[in-house]
Amino acid sequence: STGINAESQRYFIKISGIFTGSLIHLVHRVLPGATEIHMYRSLIPCLFSWTRVMGARRFKDTANFGVNLLPTKYRRIWEKIKVTGSYEKFLFAMLCQIHPYYLESQSGRKLRAYSYESLLEHREEFCKNLLFELGIKEELTSLALTALEKDSQRNSPLSRKIVSKTPQVDIPSEARDWISRIGREEFGIEMEGPYCWLTTRP
């Protein structure tokens, strides 16, 4: 997300989606001086969410399609380490969308990063910090907390696509170990635990 403050106006631009992270560097060309806020989530829960929305068949197609959409530098890495599993392909694609934010941080740009897990664990503190970064009054924290209790996707086209009866997929330990190793060796990103929690943070 990016924000621009002026005396009379404030803009918020939300960049979301699994294949948009590699576009973040363009924000500075179009909106110099914009404040960046990056929200990320552990890889395995992200994968669970996508399989729930898409179902097994569409998920497999998306995993194959996603790798082909990656920028050249990431496709070169993939050609070197590629495997056939759909889970590995999807996890690699997600890692490639997270990595540009690490590069932004390393380049010295001001970047605030928040984990989805920290939102779930410390809701009030999270909301206060986020509102502060956005220049919004702290008094609105209670309103933000109330909004968190609502289903923002209710009756949306996305919610109607959710395959509600699809059981949670079982990710093989080999796939988890593989993406953890690739994150460390190819991206310098450390992960730990069965959910591939990002311990190296932007």
Side-chain angles (χ1 to χ4, degrees), residues 101-166:
Y101 292 93
Y102 284 85
L103 298 180
E104 286 285 288
S105 180
Q106 293 168 6
S107 71
R109 299 193 192 280
K110 183 181 178 182
L111 171 67
R112 295 290 186 184
Y114 297 91
S115 72
Y116 180 76
E117 288 79 9
S118 67
L119 166 61
L120 298 180
E121 188 174 356
H122 307 289
R123 292 192 172 199
E124 184 170 354
E125 181 182 355
F126 180 98
C127 289
K128 285 182 178 179
N129 290 335
L130 182 60
L131 293 179
F132 176 79
E133 290 295 332
L134 296 175
I136 298 175
K137 295 179 180 179
E138 185 178 318
E139 290 78 6
L140 296 178
T141 299
S142 59
L143 183 60
L145 291 170
T146 300
L148 284 176
E149 301 301 326
K150 299 179 180 179
D151 183 0
S152 61
Q153 299 293 344
R154 185 177 181 181
N155 297 323
S156 69
L158 177 62
S159 68
R160 290 193 288 271
K161 291 180 180 179
I162 291 177
V163 185
S164 58
K165 296 183 179 180
T166 300

Side-chain angles (χ1 to χ4, degrees), residues 47-55 161-164 166:
L47 191 153
F48 287 156
S49 293
W50 277 81
T51 55
R52 179 168 172 258
V53 169
M54 308 187 76
K161 291 180 180 179
I162 291 177
V163 185
S164 58
T166 300

Side-chain angles (χ1 to χ4, degrees), residues 1-201:
S1 299
T2 63
I4 301 177
N5 293 296
E7 290 184 4
S8 59
Q9 56 190 358
R10 180 183 293 126
Y11 301 97
F12 297 103
I13 304 172
K14 181 179 180 182
I15 302 177
S16 60
I18 191 171
F19 305 123
T20 56
S22 55
L23 302 177
I24 189 62
H25 67 283
L26 299 177
V27 171
H28 300 287
R29 298 184 184 181
V30 180
L31 304 169
T35 299
E36 294 180 48
I37 299 175
H38 172 45
M39 189 169 184
Y40 60 95
R41 188 182 186 186
S42 300
L43 297 188
I44 299 301
C46 280
L47 191 153
F48 287 156
S49 293
W50 277 81
T51 55
R52 179 168 172 258
V53 169
M54 308 187 76
R57 183 172 181 177
R58 289 181 61 206
F59 172 81
K60 182 177 180 180
D61 292 340
T62 301
N64 292 328
F65 184 61
V67 171
N68 294 328
L69 283 180
L70 294 172
T72 302
K73 65 178 180 180
Y74 294 124
R75 281 190 278 116
R76 287 174 178 167
I77 296 175
W78 176 250
E79 288 300 316
K80 182 173 63 173
I81 54 90
K82 65 181 178 181
V83 293
T84 58
S86 297
Y87 296 141
E88 287 88 343
K89 290 178 181 179
F90 194 83
L91 291 169
F92 180 79
M94 285 195 292
L95 194 59
C96 291
Q97 298 308 304
I98 293 173
H99 186 242
Y101 292 93
Y102 284 85
L103 298 180
E104 286 285 288
S105 180
Q106 293 168 6
S107 71
R109 299 193 192 280
K110 183 181 178 182
L111 171 67
R112 295 290 186 184
Y114 297 91
S115 72
Y116 180 76
E117 288 79 9
S118 67
L119 166 61
L120 298 180
E121 188 174 356
H122 307 289
R123 292 192 172 199
E124 184 170 354
E125 181 182 355
F126 180 98
C127 289
K128 285 182 178 179
N129 290 335
L130 182 60
L131 293 179
F132 176 79
E133 290 295 332
L134 296 175
I136 298 175
K137 295 179 180 179
E138 185 178 318
E139 290 78 6
L140 296 178
T141 299
S142 59
L143 183 60
L145 291 170
T146 300
L148 284 176
E149 301 301 326
K150 299 179 180 179
D151 183 0
S152 61
Q153 299 293 344
R154 185 177 181 181
N155 297 323
S156 69
L158 177 62
S159 68
R160 290 193 288 271
K161 291 180 180 179
I162 291 177
V163 185
S164 58
K165 296 183 179 180
T166 300
Q168 182 169 291
V169 296
D170 183 21
I171 310 299
S173 60
E174 292 80 6
R176 302 169 194 251
D177 294 341
W178 180 85
I179 195 61
S180 293
R181 178 175 61 81
I182 296 304
R184 180 175 61 255
E185 295 178 357
E186 301 294 339
F187 298 93
I189 297 175
E190 294 284 350
M191 288 171 268
E192 66 178 22
Y195 293 116
C196 296
W197 166 250
L198 302 172
T199 55
T200 305
R201 301 167 189 175

